[in-house]
Amino acid sequence: MDVAQAIRNRCSCRNYQDKPVEQDKLLAVLEAARQAPSAKNLQDWRFVVVTDRERKKQLAQAANNQTFLENAGAILIACSVSDHVMRCGQAVGPIDVAIALEHMCLQATELGLSTCWIGSFYPDRVRPIVGIPENVVIVELLALGYAADTPKEHRREPLERIVSFDRWQF
Ligand SMILES: Cc1cc2nc3c(=O)[nH]c(=O)nc-3n(C[C@H](O)[C@H](O)[C@H](O)COP(=O)(O)O)c2cc1C
């Protein structure tokens, strides 16, 4: 599968088979995160991979009761450990983590796995489940596993709605 195909095929999966992700595939997905670009090459990301059933259940509850998470083979807790801010004023952490997460999503797609970004969660409820210290920012969760159904086609704005050339023309 080439990159363009992986980009087209990736979609958010909210219905998983109750099936673990093989270790070699999990490592390949994590390696895709490790290869991501990052500001100043700070690699401001840490990932806690949760496969334990009871912890996944607790994470689903901490994620606003998104119960589909329980069946995902793994839930990745994506964290940032620095408070570095770029000259442009943007915090490095969430950006670095986001790039790494999408690398993982695309690698997962190529391997026949499905993913779902999870931003609807309560960090202070996630923290104690796996012992994440207070000074660490929990940026996102990511569900990873085998889809139990085929997700619907996703709607996207046309290019002319989101791009202008040479000057701001929206
Ligand atoms: C930052 C971010 C947070 C998201 N949080 C959630 C979430 O908490 N629960 C969920 O079901 N989907 C979540 N999504 C998935 C989006 O709803 C989804 O990407 C969007 O509807 C487009 O659909 P697609 O991913 O299938 O292309 C999130 C996506 C992003 C990028």
Side-chain angles (χ1 to χ4, degrees):
M1 184 182 293
D2 63 20
V3 177
Q5 193 64 49
I7 290 171
R8 269 194 300 276
N9 286 4
R10 184 220 55 86
C11 55
S12 296
C13 172
R14 301 184 180 87
N15 187 12
Y16 290 90
Q17 296 174 42
D18 188 1
K19 179 178 167 183
V21 176
E22 298 85 344
Q23 189 71 0
D24 59 330
K25 291 191 178 179
L26 183 57
L27 289 177
V29 168
L30 293 166
E31 175 64 15
R34 197 175 76 89
Q35 294 296 343
S38 63
K40 286 190 171 173
N41 201 21
L42 285 174
Q43 302 164 61
D44 180 19
W45 45 56
R46 300 289 184 275
F47 305 99
V48 181
V49 181
V50 179
T51 56
D52 172 71
R53 178 160 292 281
E54 183 53 32
R55 286 202 173 91
K56 284 192 294 181
K57 191 172 176 187
Q58 292 170 5
L59 285 173
Q61 288 163 359
N64 207 22
N65 290 319
Q66 298 190 72
T67 49
F68 71 84
L69 290 171
E70 290 176 31
N71 265 358
I75 302 173
L76 279 59
I77 308 175
C79 304
S80 144
V81 290
S82 99
D83 52 8
H84 187 75
V85 175
M86 290 178 282
R87 210 179 306 279
C88 63
Q90 300 294 328
V92 160
I95 294 176
D96 281 3
V97 168
I99 298 167
L101 281 172
E102 194 56 15
H103 268 212
M104 287 198 275
C105 291
L106 295 177
Q107 180 63 78
T109 302
E110 194 200 20
L111 294 171
L113 292 160
S114 293
T115 54
C116 190
W117 285 64
I118 301 293
S120 179
F121 67 91
Y122 299 99
D124 288 339
R125 288 175 59 185
V126 168
R127 225 174 266 293
I129 298 170
V130 295
I132 297 174
E134 288 290 332
N135 59 328
V136 170
V137 177
I138 306 173
V139 178
E140 284 284 318
L141 308 182
L142 186 75
L144 176 71
Y146 286 96
D149 61 12
T150 315
K152 295 185 200 82
E153 186 111 331
H154 35 228
R155 188 190 63 82
R156 290 295 189 264
E157 302 287 358
L159 262 192
E160 51 274 23
R161 181 94 191 265
I162 60 168
V163 180
S164 79
F165 291 93
D166 293 328
R167 54 188 299 269
W168 180 270
Q169 296 181 95
F170 295 104

